[in-house]
Amino acid sequence: MTREAEVRAEVEVPVPPEAAFRAFLELGRWWPPAYTFAGEAGFADGRIEPHAGGEWFELDRTGQRLPWGPVRVAEPGRRLVLGWGVALDRTPEIPERMSEVDIAFTPLASGTRIELHHRQMNRHGEGWASFHEAMEGPQGWPLILAAFAASL
């Protein structure tokens, strides 16, 4: 894996790691609806199941569950590792081509530092470099983490 196939982003929030972790699981409260399968008009809710073998997913307004990928590691208050199951064309990705999002929750005197590491982006195949550029840019992970921080 090349360094170019990774994106790192971080944000600090004024709550303890356990509270930040719990809030992060509630995607429907903070995830930008434009960044979902259903889009702004169709997005109803989103969740992360906090156990290995679970899923992170959205629910559309019809109640359909649309998985984003598997939960690979869940250590409450400390760490989440999620399979990124969204293909470059915003359709479900096959498991062999999923990238991985590793999120660490580190205690600070003033709250929590959330460090996100999206790796193995090249697994998505041809076109992954433009995906990397988008997720690294201001409308990618920095925007998503800022939306989370603003929700607290």
Side-chain angles (χ1 to χ4, degrees), residues 21 25 48-54 70-76 78-83 100-103 105 119:
F21 184 93
L25 300 175
I48 300 172
E49 297 172 331
H51 57 86
V71 175
R72 296 180 175 161
V73 175
E75 299 171 3
R78 296 186 56 226
R79 185 171 176 232
L80 280 169
V81 179
L82 309 167
E100 188 168 79
V101 180
D102 192 333
I103 305 128
F105 299 80
R119 58 182 169 244

Side-chain angles (χ1 to χ4, degrees), residues 3-24:
R3 183 124 175 93
E4 293 80 26
E6 304 175 359
V7 169
R8 293 180 182 266
E10 68 178 59
V11 67
E12 292 183 12
V13 295
V15 298
E18 296 78 14
F21 184 93
R22 282 191 309 273
F24 200 90

Side-chain angles (χ1 to χ4, degrees), residues 4-70:
E4 293 80 26
E6 304 175 359
V7 169
R8 293 180 182 266
E10 68 178 59
V11 67
E12 292 183 12
V13 295
V15 298
E18 296 78 14
F21 184 93
R22 282 191 309 273
F24 200 90
L25 300 175
E26 299 175 21
L27 298 171
R29 288 185 55 246
W30 62 271
W31 190 274
Y35 289 32
T36 64
F37 288 131
E40 292 196 40
F43 180 71
D45 197 7
R47 300 268 175 213
I48 300 172
E49 297 172 331
H51 57 86
E55 282 186 322
W56 65 319
F57 61 92
E58 70 182 80
L59 295 169
D60 69 14
R61 294 199 189 278
T62 69
Q64 182 179 6
R65 182 175 167 140
L66 305 164
W68 293 357

